[in-house]
Amino acid sequence: PAVDFTYAPGRSGSHAMDILAGFNGILQVDGYAGYDALAEPRRVGGTPLTLAYCWAHARRKLHDIYQKDGSEIAAEGLRRIAQIYKIEAGIRGHAPESRLAIRQAQSAPLIEDFRKWLTHQRTRISAKSRLGEKLGYIHRHWDGLQIFLTDGRVENALFAGHDEGGRTWARMASLIETCKLNAVDPYAYLRKTLTAIANKHPKSRIDDLMPWAFQKTSS
């Protein structure tokens, strides 16, 4: 088993279409409309993907309003999201099955309360106001914001500062996450592998340096 992170410059939906051709499953995204085509019934390159939306982006909408207007409603939304974040902080790094069980027991009731609160606030506030627009954003992406309650693998989105940083991050994250998936200590793997490369390990035997090979030779 392996994890593959791929970086492409820009936010064009075509990048995701190309990278994910043939892939079926869950894709974690922000609310950018360029990804919507991946969830359409006639998606090119595979069956429709399930889009898991990011709570960090939902939170940002409320944070921006609170910073500008000091809105008490936005503050209440941030407080509710902070409760969800606190649970996530406690289960970060746990196995997906464990995370899912805790999310179902602790986070699901909070999400349901947030839904009721959101519905109530939207009946009181003009949809054309700045706060109304932010609440509308959360409402439109609600189904995707709940995916983390049904799949313990789903995380928040990750960011890179620039193109080369993105490419480097993708390479390193792919190796580290593949190590974890194969029950290999990432630090031990990277140390041994980089040492082998420095000692001119032959390119013809690159397969020997894969995380799953490291697991076999070190067991």
Side-chain angles (χ1 to χ4, degrees), residues 20-27 38 43-50 153:
L20 298 171
F23 168 76
N24 299 309
I26 295 174
L27 176 66
L38 293 164
R43 173 201 165 204
V44 176
T47 59
L49 298 182
T50 298
R153 298 169 299 173

Side-chain angles (χ1 to χ4, degrees), residues 91-139:
I91 61 176
R92 187 165 295 118
H94 290 199
E97 297 78 11
S98 173
R99 286 159 35 124
L100 180 59
I102 293 174
R103 286 169 175 175
Q104 284 287 326
Q106 300 181 25
S107 300
L110 297 178
I111 295 295
E112 177 58 19
D113 286 345
F114 191 100
R115 183 191 65 79
K116 293 177 181 178
W117 172 82
L118 178 66
T119 300
H120 176 66
Q121 298 304 330
R122 294 188 72 236
T123 64
R124 302 174 54 212
I125 300 169
S126 170
K128 295 182 179 180
S129 67
R130 286 192 295 183
L131 178 57
E133 290 177 353
K134 305 304 183 183
L135 295 177
Y137 171 93
I138 298 175
H139 172 74

Side-chain angles (χ1 to χ4, degrees), residues 1-3 174-186 189 210-216 218:
V3 176
S174 296
L175 286 172
I176 291 171
E177 293 302 317
T178 297
C179 281
K180 294 178 182 179
L181 201 60
N182 285 274
V184 170
D185 174 36
Y189 166 78
M210 294 298 103
W212 45 86
F214 179 87
Q215 181 182 31
K216 292 177 181 177
S218 58

Side-chain angles (χ1 to χ4, degrees), residues 4-8 13-23 43:
D4 180 29
F5 287 90
T6 304
Y7 175 81
S14 63
H15 293 311
M17 282 288 192
D18 293 341
I19 291 170
L20 298 171
F23 168 76
R43 173 201 165 204

Side-chain angles (χ1 to χ4, degrees), residues 81-97:
I81 294 175
Q83 292 179 314
I84 302 169
Y85 274 26
K86 185 176 181 180
I87 296 172
E88 288 298 300
I91 61 176
R92 187 165 295 118
H94 290 199
E97 297 78 11

Side-chain angles (χ1 to χ4, degrees), residues 52-80:
Y53 289 111
C54 174
W55 274 96
H57 288 83
R59 181 187 181 281
R60 182 185 298 171
K61 301 296 181 181
L62 296 175
H63 180 266
D64 289 347
I65 288 294
Y66 179 73
Q67 289 293 311
K68 291 179 179 178
D69 304 335
S71 166
E72 293 184 3
I73 294 176
E76 173 62 16
L78 292 172
R79 184 192 68 79
R80 290 172 177 270

